[in-house]
C-alpha cells in the first residue's frame, strides 16, 4: 500500500474519524481542553494528558489510515493504542453497536494489556483467552456485546468466533494487533488467518487496523539486504497497513534511554584435568545413561527409589549434585565469604564463559537498585545457570530465579509460577532473572540496568527486543563472546547494521517486491455466513470427534494415514464408528500437511451436508447447540469440558459367575490361567488363576486386554483355558477366606486401623453373594497346560500375624538372633522377608525384599543417622534396616484415574514385582 492510502472507499471509520481527531489532538498539543470536537462528554480518564509528542503524532497517522507502529520495547506503543481508542470513542462507546478488539498473542499479554487499558481509559473492558469463561451461543456473545466496549483476547478466540459467526468483521470498529510481526504471509498464525480469510475489501464496512511491533521482521535471514524489503512489504500487504516509526530519534531518546552495548570476551575453554572434572563426568555419565539411553528398567527403578513420578525430579537431582560439587570447591578455605574467592573460580571448576558472567555480576553486585536479566537460548541452560548462581555465596546480593515458557517440554512452568516470579522481580524480592526468549517479548518485566546475552541472539528481532529490557539511565547491554570465534563478533555487528538498514528501509523504500501467498481453500455456508479454512478444519474435526459418545476409557479421535500417489501425497481419514461417515480421502497434494488439510476440509463439508454440523459449522447436538469450545494453544491447561457426559452403566454379572456352588463337599470348577505379558519385559508377576462353575464363552477365552500402568508400562492380559480343578470341603472355605483377605484387606486397607483383622465377616459374604468365582495363586504346568492352586502360599498368607489372635503370637523376648523386633512384636526373619509390612509413621505398606546387612538405625545417612532422618519417636537401639518398596493402595489409584483426591495421588503410584510369598506385619 502506498503511503497515506486508506484501506478502501468502504472504510467508514476513515471518513468519520479524520476531522474529529485531528482537532482534538491539536488541542491537546497546544495545551487546550480535553473535550473532543465531536461533542463527546469529557472523560474522567484522558490518556492525552500524559501523552508524548511522538505518540500524539503516530495516533494522528492512525486516524488517517491503517498503520503499523514500529518502536522499541518500552517506548509506549500500547499508550498510542489507548489514544486511538479514545479518539474513536464516538464509534465504540455505548449505545454504539461497534466494538474495539485488542489482540495479544498470549494469555499473559491479554491480562497485562487489559489492565493497562482499564487503568488508562473509561471504557468497559472484557478479557477472553484460553482459560477464561466459555461462550457457547450467539446469545452469550450478545450479552458480552451489550456489556463491554473493548474486547482484549487471544487471536485464536477471535478467529474461531469469526469462523462460526459469533463475531462479524463488520461489527469491529478498531482492530489492534499487539506483536503484529507474527502476521507472516507464509505462516498459519491466527493473525495471518484473520486477515487472509475475513478482511475482504468487498465488505461495506471494514475496521481500522493498528499494529504494534518492536521489529517488523522476525525470521532468520529476514533482515538480509534482499529479504528485508520483501518482509516489510509483505507485512504491510497482509495487514493492509503502512509501517511508521519516530523520525526524530532525539525526541525519542528524551523519554527512553538507550543502553550502552559492551562486548565481554572470554578465551576458549581448555581441557579440564582434575578430580573435580572426574566427579562431574561421573554425574554426567550417570544422568545421560538414565535419562537418554532408553534404559527404562533402570530409570523406573531410580524413580521409584526417589519417590518421583516424572523425569523432572531426576533432572533436579543431577543438577543438585553438580551444584554441590562446584559449591564445595568454591567455598574451600572460607573463600566464599569474600569477593576474592572469584579468583579461585577457575577451570576446571567452571567454563571460562561462566567465569566471565560471574565476573560481570560481581562487578555490578553492590550497585544500588540493581536489576539484571540474563538471556539464554535453551531451557536447560536457564535452569542450570539459576541453580549455580543461587548457590554461590559471594553472589548473595543477587536473588536469582529462572523464567521459561508455559509450554516448555522440560518442567513446564505454570502461568501462576511465572506471575509469582515476575511479581517478585517487580517488588525487588528477586533482582536477577535467567530467562529464555519468553522474557524478550511482551511480558511486563520491570526496566533493568543490566541485560546480559549469555547466548547470542538468533535474529535481529531478538537482538532488539532483549535490548529493550535495559531502559534505565546508564544501563548496559552486554554480550559474552568467544574471542576465538570471529564469527560471534561479526554477528553482533551484523545485527547492528541490520537494524540500521531496517530503519532506513522504513523511511525510504527501496523495493515494492513482496512474498507471494498460496491461496488456501475455504468452505462457506451461504445461509449463515460461517466459513472454515483448510487450516482450521483440522482443529474443528478433532473438536467434532471429541463430542461423540465417549467415556473415561475411550477417547474418539480421527486417525490419519498417508499414501504416495502419482499426483502427490494422499491423506485418508478414519473417523470413529459413531460418526455418520467413516472414511475420507483427499486429492493428491504436494505435501503431507497439504493433504491433511484437504481431507479435513472435505470431512467438514461432508459432515455439514449430512447434518452432523449445523449451519454455523458446530456439532449439532441437542444439549450443545451452537457450542464453541474456546480453547487456545496458550491456555494454562486442558480443562475438562463441562459438557463431557458421565456415562453410567448398569452393573451386569455374567452368567458364568452367577451359578452357586450347591455341593461344598466336592466342587469341580473350570480353571483359566491369567497370563501376564509386561512391556518392557523387566518384571515378573505372580501366577494367578480364575476358577468358575460354568465355562466362559468362547469369545471371553480369546480376549486380550492391555492394562496401562505408570510411566509408559503396560501388561497384556490373557485368559488361557486350563482344564477342570477339584476342590474338597476344606479347600473351598480356605480359598474363600484367602480371596476375602486380598480383595478386601490388601486392595482396600482401611480395615488395618485395628491391631487384629478377623477374616470371615458376614458382610463380605453378603456383598459377594451374587457372584461365585475364585481368584487364587497357582502353579503352572507349562507342558500339560494345567494349573493347580498354590495352597502353600494361601496358607502362608493366612498365617500372617495380622490375622492371628494376639495371644498366639511369638513371645516378645526373642531367644535367638534370627528374630526381629517390630512395632507390634517379635518375628522370625524368614517370616518378614518377602512379606508386606505396615510402617506406622509412613502410614503405608512396603514389600520387604531383604534385611540390610551391617546397617542399623545408627548408621550414617545424609549427614545424620537413619533414626534422625526418619524422625522416629519410639527408637530402639541398633534396630536393623529393612529394604522394601512401597505398595500403593488400589482404591487410591482408582480415584486418581477418576480425578478424585488428586492432591493425594501425586508421586504415590509405585508398582512392584509380584512376590511368591506374602505375609503382613506392623
Amino acid at each position: 500500500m502506498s503511503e497515506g492510502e486508506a484501506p478502501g472507499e468502504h472504510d467508514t471509520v476513515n471518513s468519520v474519524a479524520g476531522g474529529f481527531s485531528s482537532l482534538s489532538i491539536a488541542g491537546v498539543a497546544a495545551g487546550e481542553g480535553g473535550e473532543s470536537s465531536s461533542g463527546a462528554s469529557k472523560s474522567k480518564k484522558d490518556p492525552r494528558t500524559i501523552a508524548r509528542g511522538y505518540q500524539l503524532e503516530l495516533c494522528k497517522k492512525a486516524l488517517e489510515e491503517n498503520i503499523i507502529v514500529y518502536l522499541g520495547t518500552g517506548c509506549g506503543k500500547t499508550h498510542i493504542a489507548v489514544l486511538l481508542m479514545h479518539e474513536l470513542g464516538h464509534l465504540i462507546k455505548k449505545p454504539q453497536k461497534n466494538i474495539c478488539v485488542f489482540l495479544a498473542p498470549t494469555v499473559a499479554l491479554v491480562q497485562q494489556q487489559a489492565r493497562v487499558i482499564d487503568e488508562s481509559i473509561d471504557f468497559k473492558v472484557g478479557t477472553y483467552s484460553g482459560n477464561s469463561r466459555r461462550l457457547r451461543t450467539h446469545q452469550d456473545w450478545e450479552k458480552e456485546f451489550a456489556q463491554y466496549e473493548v474486547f482484549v483476547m487471544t487471536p485464536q478466540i477471535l478467529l474461531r468466533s469469526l469462523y462460526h459467526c459469533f463475531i462479524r468483521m463488520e461489527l469491529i470498529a478498531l482492530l489492534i494487533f499487539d506483536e503484529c510481526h507474527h502476521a507472516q504471509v507464509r505462516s498459519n498464525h491466527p493473525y495471518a488467518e484473520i486477515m487472509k480469510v475475513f478482511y475482504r475489501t468487498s465488505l461495506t464496512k471494514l475496521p481500522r487496523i493498528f499494529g504494534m511491533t518492536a521489529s517488523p521482521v522476525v525470521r532468520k535471514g529476514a533482515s538480509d539486504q534482499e529479504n528485508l524489503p520483501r518482509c516489510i512489504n509483505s507485512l504491510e500487504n497482509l495487514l493492509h497497513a503502512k509501517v511508521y516509526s519516530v523520525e526524530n530519534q532525539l525526541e525519542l531518546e528524551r523519554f527512553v534511554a538507550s543502553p550502552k552495548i559492551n562486548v565481554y570476551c572470554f578465551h576458549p575453554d581448555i581441557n579440564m584435568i582434575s578430580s573435580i572434572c572426574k566427579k562431574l563426568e561421573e554425574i554426567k555419565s550417570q544422568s545421560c545413561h538414565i535419562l537418554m539411553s532408553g534404559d527404562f528398567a533402570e530409570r523406573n527403578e531410580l524413580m521409584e527409589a526417589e519417590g518421583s513420578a516424572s523425569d523432572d525430579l531426576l533432572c533436579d537431582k543431577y543438577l543438585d549434585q553438580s551444584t554441590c560439587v562446584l559449591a564445595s570447591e568454591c567455598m574451600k578455605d572460607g573463600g566464599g565469604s569474600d569477593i576474592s574467592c572469584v579468583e579461585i573460580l577457575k577451570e576446571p571448576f567452571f567454563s571460562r564463559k561462566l567465569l566471565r558472567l560471574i565476573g560481570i555480576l560481581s562487578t555490578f553486585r553492590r550497585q544500588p537498585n540493581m536489576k539484571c536479566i540474563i538471556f539464554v537460548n535453551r531451557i536447560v541452560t536457564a535452569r542450570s545457570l539459576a541453580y549455580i548462581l543461587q548457590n554461590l555465596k559471594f553472589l548473595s546480593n543477587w536473588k536469582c530465579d529462572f523464567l521459561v515458557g508455559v509450554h516448555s517440554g522440560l518442567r513446564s512452568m505454570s502461568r501462576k509460577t511465572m506471575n509469582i516470579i515476575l511479581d517478585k522481580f517487580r517488588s525487588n524480592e528477586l533482582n536477577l532473572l535467567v530467562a529464555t526468549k519468553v522474557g524478550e517479548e511482551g511480558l511486563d518485566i520491570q526496566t533493568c540496568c543490566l541485560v546480559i546475552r549469555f547466548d547470542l541472539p538468533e535474529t535481529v528481532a531478538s537482538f532488539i527486543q532483549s535490548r529493550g529490557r535495559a531502559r534505565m539511565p546508564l544501563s548496559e547491554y552486554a554480550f559474552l563472546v568467544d574471542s576465538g570465534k570471529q564469527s560471534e563478533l561479526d554477528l553482533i555487528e551484523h545485527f547492528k547494521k541490520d537494524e540500521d538498514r531496517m530503519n532506513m528501509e522504513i523511511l525510504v523504500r527501496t523495493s515494492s517486491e513482496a512474498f507471494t501467498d498460496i491461496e488456501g481453500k475455504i468452505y462457506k455456508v451461504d445461509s449463515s455466513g460461517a466459513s472454515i479454512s483448510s487450516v482450521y478444519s483440522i482443529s474443528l474435526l478433532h473438536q467434532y470427534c471429541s463430542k461423540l459418545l465417549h467415556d473415561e476409557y475411550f477417547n474418539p479421535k480421527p486417525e490419519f494415514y498417508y499414501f504416495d500417489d502419482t499426483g502427490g501425497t494422499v491423506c485418508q481419514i478414519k473417523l470413529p464408528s459413531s460418526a455418520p461417515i467413516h472414511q475420507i480421502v483427499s486429492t493428491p497434494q504436494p505435501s503431507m500437511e497439504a493433504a491433511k488439510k484437504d481431507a479435513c476440509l472435505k470431512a467438514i463439508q461432508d459432515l455439514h451436508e449430512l447434518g452432523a454440523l449445523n449451519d454455523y459449522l458446530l456439532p449439532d447436538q441437542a444439549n450443545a447447540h451452537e457450542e464453541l469450545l474456546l480453547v487456545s494453544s496458550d491456555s494454562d491447561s486442558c480443562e475438562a469440558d463441562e459438557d463431557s457426559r458421565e456415562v453410567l452403566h448398569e452393573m451386569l454379572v455374567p452368567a458364568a459367575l452367577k451359578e452357586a456352588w450347591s455341593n461344598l463337599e466336592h466342587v469341580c470348577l473350570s480353571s483359566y490361567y491369567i497370563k501376564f505379558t509386561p512391556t518392557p519385559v523387566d518384571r515378573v508377576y505372580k501366577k494367578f488363576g480364575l476358577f468358575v462353575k460354568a465355562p466362559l464363552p468362547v469369545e471371553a477365552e480369546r480376549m486380550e486386554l492391555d492394562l496401562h500402568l505408570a510411566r509408559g508400562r503396560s501388561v497384556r492380559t490373557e485368559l488361557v483355558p486350563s482344564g477342570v480343578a477339584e476342590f474338597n470341603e476344606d479347600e473351598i472355605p480356605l480359598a474363600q477366606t484367602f480371596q476375602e483377605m486380598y480383595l478386601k484387606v490388601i486392595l482396600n486397607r482401611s480395615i488395618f486401623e485395628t491391631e487384629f483383622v478377623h477374616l470371615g465377616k458376614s458382610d463380605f459374604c453378603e456383598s459377594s453373594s451374587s457372584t461365585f468365582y475364585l481368584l487364587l495363586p497357582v502353579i503352572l504346568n507349562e507342558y500339560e497346560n494345567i494349573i493347580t492352586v498354590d495352597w502353600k502360599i494361601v496358607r502362608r498368607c493366612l498365617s500372617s500375624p495380622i490375622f492371628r489372635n494376639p495371644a498366639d503370637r511369638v513371645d516378645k523376648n526373642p531367644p535367638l538372633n534370627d528374630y526381629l523386633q517390630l512395632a507390634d512384636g517379635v518375628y522370625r526373619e524368614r517370616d518378614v522377608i518377602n512379606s508386606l509390612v505396615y510402617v506406622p509413621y509412613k502410614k503405608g505398606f512396603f514389600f520387604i525384599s531383604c534385611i540390610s546387612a551391617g546397617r542399623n538405625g545408627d548408621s550414617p545417612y545424609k549427614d545424620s543417622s537413619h533414626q534422625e532422618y526418619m524422625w522416629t519417636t519410639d527408637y530402639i537401639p541398633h534396630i536393623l534396616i529393612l529394604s522394601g518398596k512401597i505398595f500403593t493402595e488400589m482404591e487410591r489409584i482408582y480415584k486418581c484415574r477418576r480425578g478424585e483426591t488428586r492432591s493425594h495421588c501425586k508421586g504415590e503410584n509405585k508398582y512392584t514385582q509380584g512376590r511368591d510369598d506374602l505375609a503382613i506385619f506392623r
Side-chain angles (χ1 to χ4, degrees):
M1 180 180 294
S2 62
E3 182 172 348
E5 181 182 356
E9 61 181 358
H10 304 289
D11 188 350
T12 57
V13 175
N14 210 33
S15 60
V16 176
F20 159 78
S21 299
S22 60
L23 289 176
S24 61
I25 289 181
V28 173
E32 297 175 6
E35 188 173 6
S36 65
S37 61
S38 66
S41 60
K42 185 176 181 178
S43 298
K44 295 180 181 178
K45 300 176 184 177
D46 191 343
R48 298 173 299 176
T49 58
I50 59 172
R52 302 163 185 169
Y54 66 86
Q55 292 174 328
L56 294 171
E57 287 299 320
L58 288 171
C59 180
K60 182 177 179 181
K61 282 284 186 183
L63 288 161
E64 297 169 355
E65 60 178 319
N66 294 345
I67 73 167
I68 299 167
V69 170
Y70 162 45
L71 286 175
T73 303
C75 293
K77 296 186 293 294
T78 302
H79 194 73
I80 301 174
V82 171
L83 286 170
L84 187 57
M85 293 179 206
H86 177 81
E87 297 302 324
L88 296 180
H90 64 295
L91 298 177
I92 300 170
K93 289 187 73 69
K94 304 303 178 192
Q96 298 295 330
K97 299 295 184 182
N98 298 317
I99 62 173
C100 168
V101 175
F102 189 112
L103 299 179
T106 65
V107 173
L109 266 179
V110 166
Q111 297 169 347
Q112 173 183 307
Q113 299 290 41
R115 286 195 300 268
V116 172
I117 296 169
D118 188 57
E119 292 169 359
S120 304
I121 196 169
D122 286 322
F123 281 40
K124 296 177 182 178
V125 182
T127 59
Y128 309 85
S129 57
N131 60 353
S132 62
R133 60 192 178 280
R134 296 171 180 181
L135 304 173
R136 304 176 181 280
T137 66
H138 285 86
Q139 289 74 21
D140 291 338
W141 278 100
E142 288 296 334
K143 293 178 182 177
E144 300 297 306
F145 298 147
Q147 183 175 359
Y148 298 111
E149 297 156 339
V150 178
F151 289 64
V152 186
M153 60 178 66
T154 55
Q156 292 90 342
I157 301 295
L158 177 62
L159 182 59
R160 296 185 184 189
S161 299
L162 290 170
Y163 277 135
H164 300 291
C165 288
F166 287 98
I167 299 177
R168 298 179 185 270
M169 188 62 84
E170 301 94 311
L171 182 68
I172 304 173
L174 175 60
L175 181 56
I176 300 172
F177 293 86
D178 194 7
E179 310 293 350
C180 68
H181 49 264
H182 292 294
Q184 298 294 312
V185 171
R186 295 182 175 180
S187 76
N188 294 329
H189 193 277
Y191 278 177
E193 286 292 296
I194 289 170
M195 296 304 295
K196 290 177 186 178
V197 179
F198 296 101
Y199 196 90
R200 298 185 295 271
T201 55
S202 59
L203 295 175
T204 57
K205 184 180 177 183
L206 288 172
R208 168 70 71 234
I209 302 295
F210 181 77
M212 302 184 293
T213 182
S215 174
V217 297
V218 288
R219 295 183 295 108
K220 288 184 179 180
S223 56
D224 293 344
Q225 184 71 46
E226 181 181 353
N227 288 328
L228 181 60
R230 282 201 255 176
C231 290
I232 295 176
N233 293 336
S234 298
L235 179 65
E236 290 182 332
N237 293 343
L238 183 61
L239 293 181
H240 296 262
K242 174 74 176 176
V243 178
Y244 285 98
S245 187
V246 178
E247 297 182 10
N248 186 355
Q249 290 296 318
L250 293 177
E251 181 187 2
L252 191 61
E253 291 176 2
R254 287 175 49 209
F255 300 97
V256 183
S258 296
K260 179 183 178 182
I261 297 179
N262 279 332
V263 176
Y264 293 87
C265 295
F266 59 90
H267 296 290
D269 294 325
I270 61 174
N271 294 328
M272 297 189 293
I273 47 172
S274 72
S275 60
I276 188 71
C277 176
K278 184 177 180 181
K279 293 179 183 178
L280 293 176
E281 282 297 328
E282 289 176 356
I283 297 173
K284 176 183 175 182
S285 298
Q286 183 184 11
S287 63
C288 290
H289 174 70
I290 295 296
L291 297 173
M292 301 175 65
S293 67
D295 190 344
F296 294 105
E298 190 171 354
R299 181 173 62 184
N300 290 336
E301 191 80 14
L302 182 59
M303 291 167 71
E304 289 176 354
E306 291 293 318
S308 168
S310 70
D311 288 342
D312 292 342
L313 292 181
L314 293 185
C315 296
D316 287 345
K317 172 189 173 182
Y318 294 121
L319 284 173
D320 277 330
Q321 290 178 3
S322 302
T323 302
C324 290
V325 171
L326 295 170
S328 64
E329 293 295 327
C330 296
M331 298 298 292
K332 281 183 178 179
D333 302 323
S337 61
D338 190 84
I339 186 61
S340 61
C341 69
V342 173
E343 297 174 1
I344 72 168
L345 293 178
K346 53 189 176 183
E347 294 175 302
F349 308 135
F350 290 82
S351 71
R352 293 190 174 182
K353 185 177 184 179
L354 182 54
L355 285 173
R356 201 71 174 99
L357 172 66
I358 292 173
I360 297 171
L361 294 176
S362 299
T363 303
F364 281 85
R365 81 190 197 286
R366 295 195 184 279
Q367 294 188 15
N369 302 319
M370 277 303 302
K371 279 186 180 290
C372 174
I373 300 179
I374 302 172
F375 282 106
V376 298
N377 291 340
R378 301 181 62 193
I379 298 165
V380 67
T381 308
R383 295 181 62 193
S384 302
L385 267 183
Y387 267 87
I388 293 171
L389 297 177
Q390 287 167 351
N391 285 275
L392 295 178
K393 303 301 182 183
F394 54 86
L395 294 180
S396 59
N397 294 75
W398 292 106
K399 308 301 181 183
C400 178
D401 209 334
F402 68 92
L403 189 71
V404 299
V406 172
H407 295 286
S408 55
L410 181 61
R411 195 177 187 180
S412 177
M413 179 173 285
S414 69
R415 197 167 310 284
K416 180 180 179 181
T417 302
M418 178 186 289
N419 290 334
I420 290 173
I421 291 173
L422 291 176
D423 288 340
K424 288 182 178 179
F425 195 65
R426 296 186 192 104
S427 64
N428 296 322
E429 188 176 343
L430 295 174
N431 60 2
L432 175 61
L433 288 182
V434 184
T436 57
K437 63 180 180 181
V438 69
E440 295 176 0
E441 179 181 296
L443 288 179
D444 184 18
I445 299 177
Q446 192 171 8
T447 300
C448 300
C449 56
L450 177 62
V451 170
I452 302 175
R453 291 292 324 200
F454 187 80
D455 295 322
L456 294 182
E458 297 177 337
T459 65
V460 67
S462 179
F463 172 84
I464 294 172
Q465 288 176 326
S466 55
R467 182 188 61 195
R469 296 302 179 188
R471 303 192 301 271
M472 292 180 68
L474 303 177
S475 57
E476 182 172 320
Y477 187 33
F479 293 87
L480 294 178
V481 175
D482 189 338
S483 60
K485 295 181 180 179
Q486 184 61 36
S487 59
E488 293 190 356
L489 291 168
D490 294 341
L491 183 61
I492 298 173
E493 293 301 319
H494 181 68
F495 286 147
K496 293 178 182 178
K497 292 178 180 179
D498 284 348
E499 184 181 12
D500 292 338
R501 189 185 304 117
M502 187 162 54
N503 293 335
M504 287 301 299
E505 181 65 31
I506 290 172
L507 293 175
V508 182
R509 295 306 175 86
T510 61
S511 171
S512 60
E513 188 178 359
F515 293 114
T516 56
D517 180 29
I518 300 175
E519 287 289 333
K521 295 181 180 179
I522 295 176
Y523 175 67
K524 183 176 181 180
V525 180
D526 293 331
S527 61
S528 65
S531 58
I532 297 297
S533 69
S534 59
V535 174
Y536 178 59
S537 64
I538 301 173
S539 174
L540 182 59
L541 185 61
H542 278 278
Q543 179 187 333
Y544 168 76
C545 289
S546 70
K547 296 300 175 185
L548 297 174
L549 290 175
H550 63 280
D551 57 27
E552 62 179 308
Y553 305 105
F554 172 64
N555 179 27
K557 57 185 178 181
E559 297 177 355
F560 300 91
Y561 304 91
Y562 300 93
F563 308 94
D564 291 330
D565 191 80
T566 54
T569 303
V570 173
C571 176
Q572 179 185 29
I573 303 177
K574 290 186 178 180
L575 296 181
S577 58
S578 53
I581 53 176
H582 300 145
Q583 181 173 301
I584 304 96
V585 180
S586 73
T587 57
Q589 298 293 328
S591 66
M592 293 175 61
E593 184 66 22
K596 183 178 183 179
K597 292 176 183 177
D598 183 76
C600 288
L601 189 63
K602 185 177 180 182
I604 295 300
Q605 181 176 352
D606 292 347
L607 289 171
H608 173 246
E609 292 173 351
L610 291 171
L613 296 175
N614 61 22
D615 285 344
Y616 291 102
L617 298 178
L618 291 164
D620 193 10
Q621 301 172 358
N623 63 340
H625 183 65
E626 296 181 343
E627 179 180 338
L628 176 59
L629 184 60
L630 296 178
V631 178
S632 65
S633 62
D634 54 1
S635 61
D636 289 348
S637 61
C638 296
E639 300 171 330
D641 183 7
E642 295 173 4
D643 280 351
S644 296
R645 290 173 291 279
E646 288 288 342
V647 182
L648 301 179
H649 300 280
E650 180 185 359
M651 181 62 73
L652 301 177
V653 179
L657 305 182
K658 284 185 174 181
E659 189 171 350
W661 303 325
S662 55
N663 182 10
L664 289 180
E665 294 182 358
H666 186 79
V667 178
C668 293
L669 301 179
S670 297
S671 63
Y672 297 87
Y673 169 55
I674 304 176
K675 182 179 179 181
F676 298 121
T677 307
T679 302
V681 187
D682 61 349
R683 301 291 172 102
V684 178
Y685 294 96
K686 176 60 192 167
K687 297 178 177 62
F688 267 76
L690 174 67
F691 301 88
V692 292
K693 185 67 179 291
L696 296 177
V698 178
E699 58 268 24
E701 294 180 356
R702 298 173 180 172
M703 181 181 67
E704 294 183 357
L705 179 65
D706 286 328
L707 303 176
H708 295 279
L709 308 180
R711 294 179 289 280
R713 289 186 174 278
S714 65
V715 178
R716 173 154 292 189
T717 307
E718 307 172 53
L719 290 178
V720 181
S722 304
V724 176
E726 297 183 1
F727 294 80
N728 59 36
E729 59 181 349
D730 296 325
E731 292 172 337
I732 286 293
L734 194 64
Q736 288 180 306
T737 304
F738 173 84
Q739 183 161 290
E740 176 190 356
M741 182 270 294
Y742 77 81
L743 287 181
K744 187 174 184 181
V745 177
I746 294 180
L747 299 187
N748 182 1
R749 295 190 299 276
S750 59
I751 197 168
F752 274 95
E753 295 173 357
T754 61
E755 292 291 328
F756 171 61
V757 177
H758 176 72
L759 295 178
K761 292 183 179 180
S762 58
D763 59 341
F764 176 80
C765 300
E766 292 173 0
S767 63
S768 59
S769 60
S770 60
T771 58
F772 300 90
Y773 67 89
L774 292 173
L775 202 59
L776 303 171
V778 297
I779 300 172
L780 173 65
N781 186 329
E782 297 184 3
Y783 298 101
E784 299 181 6
N785 198 29
I786 294 176
I787 58 175
T788 56
V789 177
D790 193 338
W791 293 111
K792 180 181 178 181
I793 289 183
V794 170
R795 291 186 174 90
R796 171 168 167 74
C797 290
L798 293 177
S799 67
S800 295
I802 195 70
F803 304 123
R804 283 192 235 150
N805 191 305
D808 299 334
R809 299 186 187 180
V810 178
D811 184 75
K812 293 194 176 184
N813 295 317
L816 300 174
N817 293 330
D818 61 345
Y819 284 77
L820 294 177
Q821 174 78 56
L822 300 186
D824 61 341
V826 180
Y827 302 95
R828 295 181 180 89
E829 288 185 2
R830 67 172 182 266
D831 291 335
V832 175
I833 297 175
N834 290 331
S835 66
L836 190 65
V837 171
Y838 180 76
V839 182
Y841 83 94
K842 284 281 191 180
K843 296 183 179 180
F845 286 79
F846 290 79
F847 282 113
I848 301 304
S849 57
C850 64
I851 299 173
S852 297
R855 298 170 63 196
N856 57 42
D858 296 316
S859 299
Y861 183 82
K862 292 185 178 181
D863 300 325
S864 64
S865 68
H866 280 271
Q867 186 267 336
E868 292 170 340
Y869 179 73
M870 296 300 182
W871 300 298
T872 53
T873 53
D874 300 326
Y875 176 57
I876 302 174
H878 311 300
I879 189 168
L880 295 179
I881 301 297
L882 305 181
S883 297
K885 293 183 178 179
I886 193 169
F887 180 71
T888 303
E889 184 174 342
M890 300 304 295
E891 180 184 21
R892 181 164 294 175
I893 295 176
Y894 174 74
K895 288 182 178 180
C896 284
R897 291 198 60 185
R898 295 283 298 179
E900 302 171 19
T901 61
R902 202 173 290 272
S903 61
H904 301 289
C905 300
K906 295 181 180 178
E908 294 188 10
N909 52 335
K910 307 294 185 296
Y911 295 82
T912 185
Q913 298 180 13
R915 299 288 177 180
D916 288 339
D917 300 307
L918 176 65
I920 303 175
F921 299 87
R922 278 187 176 275

